[in-house]
Amino acid sequence: DVVMTQSPLSLPVTLGQPASISCRSGQSLVHSNGNTYLIWFYQRPGQSPRRLIYQVSNRDSGVPDRFSGSGSGTDFTLKISRVEAEDVGVYYCMQATHWPWTFGQGTKVEIK
Amino acid sequence: EVQLVESGGGLVQPGGSLRLSCAASGFSISSYDMNWVRQAPGKGLEWVSYMSGLTGSTWYADSVKGRFTISRDNAKNSLYLQMNSLRDEDTAVFYCARGHFSVWGQGTTVTVSS
């Protein structure tokens, strides 16, 4: 199975400051069709997950442009340009290139 | 409005069975790949199973292979997860999700305990 390793697992942030979450995969996430199926999700306590980013860097409709995804191969990053109070929660990366699909452990973002 | 609504969760004894349902509205599940994802209490997300909208092919996580079966009823526009030989470690909130997880349901809770 492809292991997805997120860091840090806990991220205290200051409102208005940038934040960055790393996600590394145990093998390349480039699919045989040339696409890279790396997805980022956000989850507030007690709520269903919400997809933020798909195929590394494509932001979902309604996702603020302060969120951006980047990376390639085995190394990916989710960045928040200026953290807002509503961004508090847990962020997960996931790979949907290799079966079985696998999630990272999650990164808890909280306000300092 | 595109929506997924899960149901069928509950309390079941170890070794028992349960069938989860996911009713879709606003789109046809036969046109989309569909998934089940679960989250144990206080833990992260775990992908459980997938069904292709086009071919009906299925995939499972190793932890549920041979015990869980994903299926769909296009006429009822619903996705199902038949869970047999349930274990304590299957206790979780189960979510259905469309495609590459663009739409999620609210989840249904499964508790396996004696």
Side-chain angles (χ1 to χ4, degrees):
Chain A
D1 297 4
V2 177
V3 176
M4 302 296 288
T5 303
Q6 289 183 229
S7 63
L9 298 184
S10 177
L11 183 57
V13 297
T14 300
L15 290 175
Q17 292 301 303
S20 179
I21 300 170
S22 169
C23 175
R24 290 192 166 91
S25 58
Q27 58 183 277
S28 173
L29 298 186
V30 179
H31 194 274
S32 56
N33 64 14
N35 293 326
T36 300
Y37 297 110
L38 186 284
I39 306 168
W40 288 98
F41 299 93
Y42 164 66
Q43 186 180 34
R44 285 198 183 105
Q47 294 190 9
S48 301
R50 173 192 181 188
R51 194 179 74 179
L52 298 174
I53 303 280
Y54 62 95
Q55 289 188 42
V56 182
S57 59
N58 296 284
R59 211 168 30 243
D60 271 279
S61 173
V63 174
D65 61 8
R66 64 179 180 274
F67 290 91
S68 64
S70 63
S72 64
T74 62
D75 200 350
F76 305 92
T77 302
L78 176 70
K79 291 182 179 175
I80 310 173
S81 60
R82 294 172 307 279
V83 173
E84 298 189 5
E86 66 182 27
D87 300 336
V88 167
V90 182
Y91 293 79
Y92 296 92
C93 62
M94 179 198 182
Q95 66 83 18
T97 296
H98 303 288
W99 299 106
W101 294 348
T102 45
F103 285 92
Q105 318 97 299
T107 295
K108 186 174 184 179
V109 172
E110 56 188 10
I111 305 299
K112 280 182 184 173
Chain B
E1 181 192 3
V2 172
Q3 194 173 11
L4 296 169
V5 179
E6 301 93 337
S7 60
L11 175 63
V12 61
Q13 292 187 339
S17 298
L18 213 53
R19 188 175 88 148
L20 306 183
S21 300
C22 170
S25 56
F27 72 100
S28 172
I29 63 165
S30 62
S31 299
Y32 287 86
D33 302 338
M34 297 293 296
N35 297 274
W36 288 98
V37 175
R38 68 183 179 182
Q39 186 168 35
K43 302 297 184 182
L45 300 170
E46 180 188 14
W47 171 79
V48 172
S49 184
Y50 159 96
M51 173 172 270
S52 167
L54 184 64
T55 66
S57 62
T58 59
W59 289 85
Y60 298 92
D62 291 343
S63 58
V64 307
K65 202 175 296 182
R67 300 188 299 123
F68 290 10
T69 303
I70 190 172
S71 63
R72 69 184 183 209
D73 184 331
N74 292 338
K76 294 183 177 179
N77 210 28
S78 291
L79 182 75
Y80 303 99
L81 187 68
Q82 177 66 43
M83 305 186 296
N84 298 330
S85 304
L86 283 161
R87 306 166 180 167
D88 290 352
E89 55 266 33
D90 294 318
T91 294
V93 175
F94 282 74
Y95 299 98
C96 61
R98 187 182 83 172
H100 271 189
F101 310 93
S102 56
V103 180
W104 293 68
Q106 86 290 347
T108 187
T109 300
V110 173
T111 303
V112 184
S113 175
S114 53

